Amino acid sequence: MDPKATLLPGMNRRGISGFFKKQYRMFSRNLYLWILVLPGIAFVAIFYYIPMIGISVAFTDYKIGLGFFQAPFVGLQWFGQFFQSIFFWRLLRNTALLGFYAVLFGFPFPVFFALLLNEMKGKIFKRTIQSVSYLPHFISTVIIIGMTVTFLQPGSGILWVIVNFFTPTSATLLADPKWFRPIYIITDIWQTFGWNSIMFLAALSSVDPQLYESSRMDGANRWQQVWSITLPSILPTVLTLLILRMGSIVDVGFEKAYLLGNPATYETSDVISTYVYRTGILNGNFSFATAVGLFNSAINIVFLFIANTLSKKFNETSLW
Amino acid sequence: MAMKKSVGTVIIDSFIGFLLLCMGFVTIYPFIFLLSASVSNPLDLIAGHVTLLPIGFSLNSYGYLMHSSDLWLAYYNTLWYTVVGVLVNVVMTVVFAFPLSRKDFYGRSAIMLFMAVPMFIGGSVNMIPSFILVLRLGLFDTRWAIIIPSMMSPMLVIMARIFFQSTIPDSLVEASRIDGASELRILARVVLPLSLPIVSVIVIYNIVIFWNVYTTALLYVPDVRYQPLQVYLQRILIANSPDAKALNAASADPSLSMSVAYQLRYSTIVVSIIPIVAMYPVLQKYFVQGSMMGAIKE
């Protein structure tokens, strides 16, 4: 019996106390199932909800050893301090640019790759290429950056040799702020293009083959088929994923920026998340760092709204 | 349908094939190079002669790595985190997802919502509050700081729930209930034997998560005795502080020390990605399956 179906009539017949009795009966009937979900609920409450409440330290003067609510309230002091700090514009620029370039250069690759694979007939060849392209997804960021550092060793690293061939350089590229963004984005594309193509391949495989059949009858050539059948049918998937990416444009992950950056390149490599780590964890300014993180979340939401509105306006695709 | 291919089609097909081959090669090349570099003659390697296949042959750098107790301690720690993390996650995820998949479970949609809301609040804002939480719980600088905050992931709970809903017939659960089996017994004796695919997905996802764990260790576990492999690798490969014990083993032959120090980077990487690469066919299969399950949800 579906509990929901009887919930409202029960409420009508017996009033409020009947409603609670009904709730209690439903609850007690599933008592054993409730015991099973209890550890999961406790986990979510402790490790997801308590940190959420803990964001309130952004508005207090938190000192180590205190509980979340034991610190004195200071209002927007940390936000003001951050907006006036010399790091504010640099962090905002670095984070937004890195996120923006990653989408601009990184987003088209998986789409292009999926389209190429879709045009390919040989099954074994296709599958081999696909398998190979997923591999870097499973390798840790530490190893990706470790490989990058190793391959860029001046004098003997294979990438250094290649770069040096085109633009003679003796300096370590990793200590040069100009090179941080290109290295970050190229390695990012290398690591993710295969894996990110999965969604597009799934969308491509659901295109009705009869469409191609009938267009061929009408004399459409291959390019026309791609242009008027393949592309329109994956457009909703592409746009939805693009909105999601746009929404996280200023949400540059900590791990990679932290591992690839170093003090010599902070001019371009220091992003909000790495700054939160340095000021918060390393220097112990917990409240200030949380305020910086909260500011980051706020701009994330703004970007998500902008992307969604634009998409609704021009393409009638939106997340909500 | 037999259709004769035109010359244009053949040219386009081979061009596409060529492009795909290039993309595949660029992806696989670093891995081939790593392996070749790690077994080449170190002097050729440091001179930049190695490009694709090994030049000369020497397993010495692997021999020196054998002496590095730091590497093997980190390796052991990562194995420990992976085994314990996988076990804990499987139990937590299955036990939590099973009631949520039951139509007769009163309150399941409320719990789903409760779990889904925090998935939208992420990023750097959580770093400090989570750090404070780990401190206050007394987990800081213990092995459990890596395991307990990652005991369960909402995404896998959602996948498991979808799996139970779509593959375990309600009538089967109902029948066992009438036979007088308790819920835990139904889960263990009736549902689990039918759930091998989803349990494999949970195991495989968590193997990758725990093998590659870095940030939580960086934040919560400063004690070198408990640090996982990725933290060791960061020290060796990125912070450029070569493994003293491995170098010490290599110093028996001073003429090679520079080049061996360089080659150790390659063999260290190879040693640390071997488990992932060896499991790759399985990993790939279950990850693709998992990502498709997630896509149904969207």
Side-chain angles (χ1 to χ4, degrees), chain A residues 23 49 65 131 140 222 255, chain B residues 13 106 114 136 215 230 280:
Chain A
Q23 303 273 326
Y49 280 85
S131 292
S140 74
R222 201 157 162 185
E255 205 166 277
Chain B
D13 275 345
Y106 180 66
F114 178 72
R136 307 265 312 164
T215 304
Q230 304 299 331
Y280 183 58

Side-chain angles (χ1 to χ4, degrees), chain A residues 90-100 249-250 252 271-272:
Chain A
R90 189 178 84 175
L91 289 168
L92 196 60
R93 184 194 67 209
N94 286 347
T95 312
L97 276 182
L98 202 57
F100 175 70
I249 218 166
V250 263
V252 172
V271 293
I272 295 180

Side-chain angles (χ1 to χ4, degrees), chain B residues 34 52 58 62 116 119 130 136 140 168 171-173 197 215 219-220 233 235 243 246 273:
Chain B
L34 280 176
L52 179 67
S58 143
Y62 288 100
M119 288 171 82
S130 302
R136 307 265 312 164
F140 187 74
I168 313 288
S171 54
L172 195 63
V173 175
T215 304
L219 292 173
Y220 307 148
L233 291 173
R235 259 199 324 272
D243 188 315
I273 60 176

Side-chain angles (χ1 to χ4, degrees), chain A residues 27-87:
Chain A
F27 178 79
S28 59
R29 195 167 64 187
N30 293 137
L31 194 61
Y32 212 92
L33 289 178
W34 270 99
I35 295 173
L36 287 186
V37 287
L38 224 53
I41 291 182
F43 172 78
V44 173
I46 295 172
F47 287 97
Y48 291 98
Y49 280 85
I50 291 182
M52 238 194 280
I53 297 166
I55 293 172
S56 63
V57 299
F59 305 98
T60 63
D61 187 12
Y62 183 84
K63 290 276 181 307
I64 204 148
L66 293 177
F68 281 135
F69 296 115
Q70 289 166 336
F73 182 76
V74 295
L76 298 174
Q77 181 193 323
W78 307 117
F79 293 90
Q81 191 177 325
F82 178 53
F83 296 148
Q84 282 159 17
S85 97
I86 49 162
F87 296 114

